[in-house]
Amino acid sequence: MKTSRVSFAAALAAGAVLVLSGPAFAHVSVQPGEATKGGYATINFKVPNERDNASTTQLEVNFPVDQPLTSVMPQDIPGWTVNVEKTKLDKPLTVHGKQVNEAVTKVTWSGGKIEPGRFQQFPVSVGKLPDADQMVFKAIQTYDNNEVVRWIEEAKEGAAEPQTPAPVLKLTAAKGDDHHDAGAKKTDDAKNAKDGAAKDGKHDEAAAKSSDTTARALGIAGIVVGLGGVAFGVASRRRTS
């Protein structure tokens, strides 16, 4: 009897863990979760089916209007129909030298089915990504039993993850910036090496001139001493005679 109670308690605890952790790993998300600022990327909206008795039949993704993207191109998915909605911009954007007056604000996939225990990815090519830390896409998931789950809650710093968090795409600095810094450092290093070599060359040249002057002085001194010896020898012979 005691063993049965322990087993029941363990099973209950495990079930509670699964229930509590379910929303943390089964929500609609962006894959991969990072992209480069100012660039273009292909992202996937990953949609798992959280229900055991219903299938997902529609996904609606809202794009942030304060971070307009001029290029949003969904990839065709067999069995699904995609609809792209645009809105007119209050302030036109200039892209590749051309003015853009509209931006995509919503993409909706419908007509397909994500059955229980399955997930589906919805690929989209997007750009030009803004110079910001992140983009938040509010998504609405609809089931064939008319249940609607709104993944629209934004996470707050220091707070627990919301029950139905909105998909978030983090934006990072371009790697080219790092390459530029590295190139500048290499240029500085090369310049320093060149300057050092020039200084060493001047030092060697000065040392060589100093050595040459010393050698000449010693040579002249030797000649003088030699001439003095010759004169002394001649004088000695005259005295002897």
Side-chain angles (χ1 to χ4, degrees), residues 163-177:
Q163 186 70 16
T164 53
V168 176
L169 176 66
K170 294 183 179 180
L171 301 176
T172 58
K175 293 181 179 180
D177 295 344

Side-chain angles (χ1 to χ4, degrees), residues 65-217:
V65 294
D66 58 337
Q67 298 172 323
L69 299 177
T70 56
S71 176
V72 177
M73 295 185 293
Q75 181 176 326
D76 289 335
I77 302 175
W80 292 83
T81 299
V82 60
N83 181 55
V84 178
E85 295 183 27
K86 297 181 179 181
T87 187
K88 190 173 182 179
L89 297 174
D90 295 333
K91 184 179 179 181
L93 300 176
T94 302
V95 181
H96 302 305
K98 297 181 179 180
Q99 278 199 341
V100 179
N101 298 311
E102 292 182 327
V104 173
T105 53
K106 183 189 297 185
V107 178
T108 304
W109 291 267
S110 60
K113 182 178 288 188
I114 308 174
E115 298 180 351
R118 300 289 187 269
F119 76 90
Q120 177 68 53
Q121 296 198 77
F122 298 87
V124 183
S125 174
V126 296
K128 185 177 179 180
L129 295 173
D131 185 10
D133 294 331
Q134 66 179 23
M135 293 186 71
V136 178
F137 302 91
K138 296 184 178 182
I140 299 176
Q141 182 178 10
T142 303
Y143 291 87
D144 57 8
N145 62 356
N146 296 324
E147 180 185 3
V148 176
V149 181
R150 300 178 182 276
W151 303 96
I152 61 174
E153 295 183 85
E154 296 188 36
K156 296 181 179 180
E157 187 176 356
E161 184 181 39
Q163 186 70 16
T164 53
V168 176
L169 176 66
K170 294 183 179 180
L171 301 176
T172 58
K175 293 181 179 180
D177 295 344
D178 297 336
H179 292 165
H180 175 73
D181 294 340
K185 185 178 184 302
K186 288 182 179 179
T187 301
D188 291 341
D189 291 344
K191 184 176 182 300
N192 292 336
K194 184 177 180 180
D195 292 343
K199 290 180 180 179
D200 292 341
K202 290 180 180 179
H203 176 74
D204 293 341
E205 183 179 355
K209 288 181 178 179
S210 177
S211 299
D212 185 56
T213 301
T214 302
R216 289 182 180 180

